[in-house]
Amino acid sequence: MEHSGQKLDKYYIRKVDADKKSIYCHHDLMGELFIPPHRHVKAQLLYAEGDVVFVTTETKTYFLPARHFIWIPSGVEHSIEPKSESVTMRNLYFPVEKDEDDFYKVEGIYPVNNLLLQMMLFTNRWNGDLKKGTPNFAIAKAIKAILPQICTNNLPLELPQPKDKRLSKILRYIENNLGETILFADVAHEFGFSERSLYRLFQKDLGMSFIQYYTIRRILKAIELLLERKLSVKEVAEEVGYNSVPTFSNTFFKILGQRPSDYLNGEEILESK
């Protein structure tokens, strides 16, 4: 963990905000499985490839799939936990400007469309401070400028952190049984709740219903399995408790905006030459 602390000081804190007017760029294999909680004066665009990245703020854990990016506003404390050391990430850190669009004030995960993909590909070999007045700065600023126009679908790929210990036990039960069909009535009975009281607990503590939480968690697990490329779409559906492939595919599409098979065939841009 000492190495992580050194990286935290050299890169994630000291270098990013050293020049307040620059756009800072860092792109590399992570090589680490945990970056401790930290914050920046600059806002952050974090794009991932190769595997899943977990980004945790004070209230939520975000699940960042490959070929997507997360926008982290200025001042938001967060930790970063790649699922494996093979994760490659592109980080662009932007100074906050006056009268910015509301888009930049909200955390969110978005797919990378073809336009943004090509612009990210153009920045592939950049590193360090991009100075105002240089071509690279202008291109990076253009990336930021187009985000509110092209990123209209903030994907629900986050799960809130439970505060109630009773709910923590239930969420662990869900986690350990994702391959089974879990019925709300059975969960309520198993943990000594009436259905009405458990529904209220989910809404009060998590701000979502049981079925919303359960559906998102199943799809997040499905994304992990798809990225491993060891199972077919049918086998992945079965692993997360779906007996019907069309139902699984439709649910996946509703959350990510693409079919599981399309997600598998997505283009990796950071390895492109």
Side-chain angles (χ1 to χ4, degrees):
M1 191 57 70
E2 180 182 352
H3 176 67
S4 294
Q6 290 174 350
K7 187 166 186 176
L8 189 70
D9 175 61
K10 291 181 180 179
Y11 159 43
Y12 283 95
I13 296 298
R14 185 167 60 83
K15 287 190 176 181
V16 168
D17 292 323
D19 184 339
K20 295 180 180 180
K21 296 182 178 180
S22 74
I23 296 173
Y24 191 84
C25 176
H26 185 82
H27 153 56
D28 206 351
L29 283 170
M30 283 304 296
E32 299 179 67
L33 294 180
F34 184 68
I35 301 298
H38 60 286
R39 67 181 80 226
H40 317 285
V41 175
K42 293 176 181 176
Q44 180 177 359
L45 183 158
L46 188 163
Y47 170 85
E49 272 185 1
D51 212 329
V52 173
V53 176
F54 298 96
V55 179
T56 302
T57 65
E58 293 180 4
T59 58
K60 294 180 179 179
T61 295
Y62 290 90
F63 183 100
L64 179 61
R67 301 185 298 277
H68 289 70
F69 78 88
I70 183 171
W71 179 265
I72 305 173
S74 166
V76 173
E77 184 177 82
H78 59 283
S79 61
I80 301 172
E81 187 173 359
K83 188 183 174 188
S84 71
E85 293 184 356
S86 63
V87 174
T88 304
M89 296 200 302
R90 158 74 64 196
N91 294 277
L92 290 171
Y93 301 86
F94 297 95
V96 177
E97 301 173 84
K98 291 182 180 179
D99 302 319
E100 285 193 324
D101 191 286
D102 288 343
F103 172 92
Y104 304 115
K105 302 173 185 176
V106 180
E107 302 159 19
I109 290 179
Y110 304 89
V112 172
N113 69 7
N114 289 334
L115 172 60
L116 188 55
L117 184 146
Q118 293 303 321
M119 295 182 78
M120 293 295 291
L121 176 59
F122 196 83
T123 72
N124 211 23
R125 293 183 176 85
W126 295 355
N127 252 323
D129 286 306
L130 309 178
K131 300 288 187 178
K132 192 172 183 178
T134 65
N136 288 354
F137 181 94
I139 294 168
K141 189 171 182 180
I143 290 175
K144 178 184 176 183
I146 67 171
L147 296 181
Q149 281 73 48
I150 67 173
C151 299
T152 57
N153 186 20
N154 189 340
L155 300 177
L157 297 180
E158 77 274 355
L159 291 174
Q161 309 263 22
K163 304 179 189 69
D164 193 301
K165 292 182 179 179
R166 297 173 298 169
L167 200 51
S168 296
K169 293 179 181 179
I170 294 173
L171 299 188
R172 282 197 296 272
Y173 173 81
I174 294 173
E175 186 73 23
N176 294 332
N177 294 278
L178 284 175
E180 309 295 329
T181 300
I182 303 174
L183 300 178
F184 181 65
D186 293 343
V187 173
H189 177 75
E190 176 75 20
F191 289 89
F193 288 90
S194 69
E195 291 184 43
R196 186 175 183 180
S197 61
L198 185 56
Y199 177 84
R200 286 177 173 174
L201 180 59
F202 263 86
Q203 290 289 357
K204 180 180 178 181
D205 197 318
L206 302 183
M208 62 175 59
S209 68
F210 165 84
I211 192 63
Q212 287 173 315
Y213 183 96
Y214 179 39
T215 300
I216 292 172
R217 190 62 196 95
R218 293 165 96 184
I219 296 304
L220 298 186
K221 181 63 177 179
I223 293 170
E224 290 186 72
L225 294 173
L226 288 169
L227 288 171
E228 290 176 359
R229 299 179 183 276
K230 296 178 181 178
L231 302 175
S232 67
V233 170
K234 182 177 184 295
E235 289 169 329
V236 169
E238 292 171 350
E239 284 292 313
V240 295
Y242 283 91
N243 296 321
S244 165
V245 174
T247 300
F248 167 65
S249 180
N250 289 339
T251 305
F252 194 97
F253 181 83
K254 190 177 295 184
I255 292 176
L256 255 75
Q258 54 185 315
R259 301 290 175 185
S261 55
D262 295 332
Y263 185 78
L264 270 175
N265 296 326
E267 183 180 354
E268 305 254 332
I269 68 170
L270 293 182
E271 295 180 358
S272 301
K273 301 301 181 183

